[in-house]
Amino acid sequence: MKTKFQPDENGYFGEFGGAYIPELLYPNVKEIEDNYIQIIESEEFQKEYRGLLKDYVGRPSPLYYATRLSEKYKAHIYLKREDLVHTGAHKINNTIGQILIAQKLGKTQIIAETGAGQHGVATATVCALMGMDCTVFMGEKDIVRQAPNVARMKMLGAKVVPATSGSKTLKDATNEAIRYWIQNPHTFYLIGSVVGPHPHPDMVARLQAIISEEIKWQMKEKTGKENPDTIIACVGGGSNAAGAFYHYLENEEVELIAVEAAGLGVTSGESAATSQLGEVGIIHGSKTILMQDEYGQIVEPYSISAGLDYPGVGPLHAFLFDSKRAKFMNATDQEALDAAFELTKVEGIIPALETAHAFAVLPKMDLREDQVIVINLSGRGDKDLETYIKHLDA
Amino acid sequence: MNTIAKHLEQKGRNNLSIYFTSGFPELNDTQKVIEELGEAGVDFIEVGLPYSDPLADGPTIQDSSTIALRNGINLDIVFDQLMSIKDSNKTPLVVMGYLNQVLKYGEKRFCEKVVACGIDTVILPDLPMVEYENHYKALFDSYGINNVFLITPNTSEERIRKIDEYTQSFIYMVASSAITGAKGEISDQQIAYFERIKAMNLKSKLIIGFGISNHSTFSKACEYANGAIIGSAFIKNLQNNGIQGIASFVKGIRNA
Ligand SMILES: Cc1ncc(COP(=O)(O)O)c(C=O)c1O
């Protein structure tokens, strides 16, 4: 029984998705495609996955009613506290699931790409947990701006390989990971967002779906109703948003808001607001919305936040945009910084720069006093302190 | 009959194909490189369409693509360059690029231009078989264009048989699990793979590529296939020795 928001047999959400991969990768991807649903739906996997999420990751993550933020914006704002889980971001929900899948497929060598380093840390963590070999590809530019996470990965025993091509950020790290995968087909590519060739977007969405599964019963507990009016999440590749939206996708009464990074401004030429600037194209094996020039060359995106600095968006999100199921908004570097400082002052929570983008749309919304909003607080800001310190006095 | 297939049919063995990046090292070197390669007697030429994110390519082709794009190359310019030598050039050409370039340029417009340049063979390494079957086969057939499929040591026999059926030009046999630019001699494991494919008695001609770099690897590949493709090693030579170095490079590949 497939819903409108699950991929068809060729991996398409509407016209988006598919598996545009060189023949060299076909057996690797096919092995996962043939097995992932069966593994994820098995009792054994569910027991291990949920066990680790509870005892190792620290789930369920709290759903916190943000009193002072709610007063300020005159609405009822709940925060889904992914910042409180182990390693400090939602990324670990996915890595715990995928490392178990890798294990069931008999893989022992793991590769991953990372932007902000949160996925790299989450991958290095589960590799340490399972005693697996870990190599993380990271853009040279991101290695500099997310230094604390590079140190964490190394301490966790991962090898961090700088990606020196192109814009030296997330897109290029992903290219390098895919090239390595082609050359080392026995490795397991533990992808960090709802991007890449089918079935990766669907696999990651299913593993992040735990976020909205919890929101449902937590909302019910707190308000008597499962549904908030609005859910807001930031979008890089789209995994935290996919997780926060997942169990509400078919419930059209729940408004879904995806927030992209506008960098210096959507039309400034220095932006990562893919839905506003992109057109249909292929990146990392997926047909989606892509920032590109008139000849299909991929445009280098820009955002202050390494985790949102991606020229595409997952195919599910391209479909959510195209079908208008989700509303796409965006926030500039400055708006995100302001939102981060505001959340810190008002609620005592320092968010990741990526996450700050989700909060930055609050002042732009027409809120009703009875509106119930859940913001997915995808990660904590420890890794971004250097950037925040630079802007402390500004 | 497909131009490349016809050539392979006539020549039989020891076909040498060279891949080069158009617009490299200088924007207007495309025509000169083709002319020199033709004079040096290569059997067919793969014209690379530089792409920002070439997933199946190693550092050498990535770098040459970056330089070509910086030189200002784009699909319109490449097609103009190829049109300008359409009558003088006698060496069969193949274009190799990535699917997003075709998508953005317009699939039909792309096909029209390819055909106008006298070309009937394309290599799009990220065009998967299922998309070919569902959409591109009919489109390409209507323009008389043949798509070249890649096979690797991990491609199943069933899939190879299907590829053989779709092929009117040649099957591109990737020498190992690698991206372009791999180095070294040919291993026993690779030879076992070449022999396995040879024993399948496919109807299509086989050309080996990825990791063929010198006389020794070229000759070895030619023992098991109708010929081989050299890319990264040629581009390195072009970078170091310029267009005047092409003739001796080709000679060095043919004879020790
Ligand atoms: C805290 C945090 N939020 C969001 C993202 C963006 O990724 P996604 O859109 O896949 O959730 C990242 C990526 O690194 C992140 O670290």
Side-chain angles (χ1 to χ4, degrees), chain B residues 16-34:
Chain B
L16 172 61
S17 174
I18 296 285
Y19 167 95
F20 81 103
T21 305
S22 55
F24 173 84
E26 301 292 336
L27 180 63
N28 288 315
D29 283 343
T30 309
Q31 300 97 310
K32 292 179 215 161
V33 171
I34 293 174

Side-chain angles (χ1 to χ4, degrees), chain B residues 115-131:
Chain B
V115 171
C117 293
I119 297 171
D120 60 4
T121 312
V122 299
I123 307 178
L124 300 165
D126 60 343
L127 169 59
M129 194 197 279
V130 57
E131 300 299 336

Side-chain angles (χ1 to χ4, degrees), chain B residues 150-166:
Chain B
L150 276 58
I151 63 170
T152 83
N154 298 320
T155 310
S156 69
E157 167 155 2
E158 184 196 352
R159 229 169 136 77
I160 294 174
R161 296 271 174 218
K162 228 190 228 175
I163 286 170
D164 191 32
E165 218 173 280
Y166 293 141

Side-chain angles (χ1 to χ4, degrees), chain A residues 88-91 114-119 146 149 170 192-195 204 208 234-242 305-308 317 351-355 376-380 383-384:
Chain A
H90 68 290
K91 297 281 178 186
T114 196
Q118 285 303 120
H119 175 60
Q146 307 278 232
N149 274 345
L170 181 54
S193 192
V194 286
V195 300
V204 176
Q208 289 291 2
C234 68
V235 173
S239 67
N240 88 85
S305 102
L308 304 184
H317 294 285
L353 261 173
E354 290 76 18
T355 313
N376 197 32
L377 214 174
S378 61
R380 69 176 85 129
K383 68 185 179 60
D384 296 309

Side-chain angles (χ1 to χ4, degrees), chain A residues 10 12 17-28 165-166 171-172 174-176 178-180 182-185 279-285 287 290 292-299, chain B residues 50-58 62 69 73-77 99-101 103-105 109 125-131 134 136 150-152 154-155 159 163 174 176-179 210:
Chain A
N10 290 322
Y12 283 89
Y20 292 85
I21 45 168
E23 183 63 28
L24 304 140
L25 276 182
Y26 180 81
N28 307 29
S165 55
K171 149 179 101 72
D172 311 286
T174 309
N175 287 342
E176 288 311 316
I178 293 175
R179 289 187 185 114
Y180 185 91
I182 289 175
Q183 296 172 86
N184 301 276
E279 290 171 276
V280 175
I282 295 165
I283 182 170
H284 300 139
K287 187 185 271 189
L290 173 64
Q292 53 187 318
D293 73 7
E294 62 172 312
Y295 292 101
Q297 308 290 344
I298 298 177
V299 167
Chain B
Y51 188 53
S52 56
D53 293 73
L55 269 189
D57 287 304
Q62 285 175 45
L69 289 169
I73 198 78
N74 62 44
L75 275 189
D76 283 319
I77 295 177
L99 191 56
N100 197 49
Q101 296 173 283
L103 207 62
K104 191 66 179 52
Y105 197 73
R109 185 169 161 231
D126 60 343
L127 169 59
M129 194 197 279
V130 57
E131 300 299 336
N134 291 344
Y136 288 91
L150 276 58
I151 63 170
T152 83
N154 298 320
T155 310
R159 229 169 136 77
I163 286 170
V174 176
S176 61
S177 294
I179 52 176
F210 286 41

